[in-house]
Structure formats: structure tokens, C-alpha cells
Amino acid sequence: MNEKQLRWYNIALMAFVSVWGLGNVVNNYAQQGLTVIVSWVLIMALYFVPYALSVGQLGSTFKESSGGVSSWIKETSTKKLAFFAAWTYWVEVSLICLAIFLFFLWIASKGLTTLKMIGNVAGTAMFVMSILFILLAVSAPAMTGAKVATPNMTAISTYIPKFDFSYLTTISMLVFAFGGCEKISPYVNNTKNPAKEFPKGMIFLAGMV
């Protein structure tokens, strides 16, 4: 089996499942309203793209370590600190989530071919559902006759945030929404031409989000 069989679109779709959730749309809109659109663009350009490329570089640097964040900490610090990093990462997992995690861990052990197939299907399905969710939310008022709660959606000023303390306190939710791409970094060395295709996959992922 060719180990370097993941392509940039496989990486993007697999990472999309880890990064994205429909709750991100609802939660961040509830906090900021339509100004969240500008916030998404800013946080993607200033935080997510550099972050995604950084974890790709870490995955490439520690190519013999397949444990992600905990492996990087182990290599640069101590085993004890790496253990605490892994523990705090998973400590909030419920029993059901743990069972699901173990199930997909077992699937991952079957090889990259199975993981690639599931990642493609899940990533595509999540992306399509997200697009449908947003389209239906926008078109719902026209379909039902309900009034749009957001005033003056055609004015540019509606989308420009006020950069005050209240606004800055909501940024953490956006940072949280963009987390998760570090889970895909151990596969950078299983990507065909990783120096070109892994960054391409991460940038495409940012575009999808």
C-alpha cells in the first residue's frame, strides 16, 4: 500500500470534520449578529491560516510522532507535561463520545484507505449540510412570510463591528470555532508531495469554513 496516498482535498475534507460544526454558525451569530461575517474573515486571515500552516509544519518536523499535540510537547518538553496535555484535551469527553472515539480509532487502525474514504464522505456531507443550513436560514423569511429580525441587511454599516470591549470578548468563540485542524497534522507525512499539497489543503479548508 502506498503510504503517501492522501491528496490535498482528502486533507481538507478530513480536517473540515474536526474544525467545523453547525453550532458555530448559531452561537457566533447570536453573539455578534451580522457583524460576525467580518469577524469570520478577520479571524480566518489573522489566526486560522497561520495556525493551520504551523501545525502542518510541526507535523512535518516530528514526522516519527503520530500523536499530534501530546507528541510535540513530549519531544520539546517532558513526558509528564505531554500526558497532562493529552488528558486535558480529552478529560471532558463523555462515555458516549469516548465510545465513538474508540470506534473511529479502530477504523483508523485499518489504514489510510479506510480513513480517507470515511473522511471524504463525512467532510463532504458536513460541508453540504452547512451550506444548506445557511441557505435555508436566509431563505426562510421569504418562504414563511416572517419578518427578518436583523434591520437593514443591505447597509454596509450593518456588517461592520464596533471594536469595543464587548466585541473583543466574543472573539474567543471564533478562535474556538476554528480549532481542531491540529488533529490532521500527523498525516502530513502521508500526503503526496506534502510541502505543496498539505498547505493547499489547509488553505482550501479555510475557504470552506
Side-chain angles (χ1 to χ4, degrees):
M1 181 180 68
N2 182 11
E3 291 185 355
K4 293 185 179 294
Q5 59 181 319
L6 294 177
R7 298 299 305 275
W8 63 269
Y9 46 85
N10 300 134
I11 292 293
L13 290 171
M14 290 166 64
F16 187 74
V17 177
S18 298
V19 172
W20 188 245
L22 291 174
N24 293 329
V25 178
V26 178
N27 294 335
N28 290 292
Y29 176 78
Q31 291 293 321
Q32 297 186 26
L34 286 179
T35 61
V36 78
I37 294 174
V38 173
S39 300
W40 277 106
V41 174
L42 290 175
I43 207 75
M44 180 180 69
L46 299 177
Y47 170 75
F48 180 66
V49 172
Y51 166 63
L53 297 178
S54 295
V55 299
Q57 182 63 41
L58 285 166
S60 178
T61 301
F62 301 107
K63 59 181 64 179
E64 302 302 325
S65 303
S66 58
V69 175
S70 58
S71 295
W72 305 336
I73 295 176
K74 176 185 175 183
E75 295 293 334
T76 57
S77 184
T78 64
K79 292 182 178 180
K80 185 176 182 180
L81 196 60
F83 170 79
F84 284 126
W87 173 254
T88 54
Y89 199 85
W90 294 107
V91 70
E92 77 280 8
V93 178
S94 65
L95 291 178
I96 295 177
C97 291
L98 180 60
I100 294 173
F101 167 72
L102 292 174
F103 173 71
F104 281 101
L105 188 66
W106 172 76
I107 290 178
S109 68
K110 297 300 180 181
L112 284 177
T113 302
T114 303
L115 188 64
K116 180 175 68 174
M117 179 183 66
I118 294 175
N120 287 345
V121 172
T124 303
M126 179 67 78
F127 183 67
V128 170
M129 286 190 296
S130 299
I131 295 298
L132 289 175
F133 178 83
I134 295 170
L135 289 176
L136 288 172
V138 173
S139 60
M143 295 168 61
T144 62
K147 294 182 179 181
V148 179
T150 304
N152 200 2
M153 293 181 67
T154 59
I156 296 179
S157 59
T158 305
Y159 301 89
I160 306 300
K162 295 180 180 178
F163 295 97
D164 52 15
F165 181 76
S166 177
Y167 169 78
L168 293 175
T169 58
T170 64
I171 293 297
S172 61
M173 294 187 67
L174 287 168
V175 173
F176 177 77
F178 272 114
C181 68
E182 70 278 356
K183 297 183 182 71
I184 205 69
S185 59
Y187 298 104
V188 63
N189 298 298
N190 298 114
T191 306
K192 183 178 181 180
N193 194 2
K196 290 185 178 180
E197 295 220 0
F198 193 86
K200 184 178 180 180
M202 291 294 98
I203 292 172
F204 189 76
L205 165 65
M208 293 172 69
V209 172

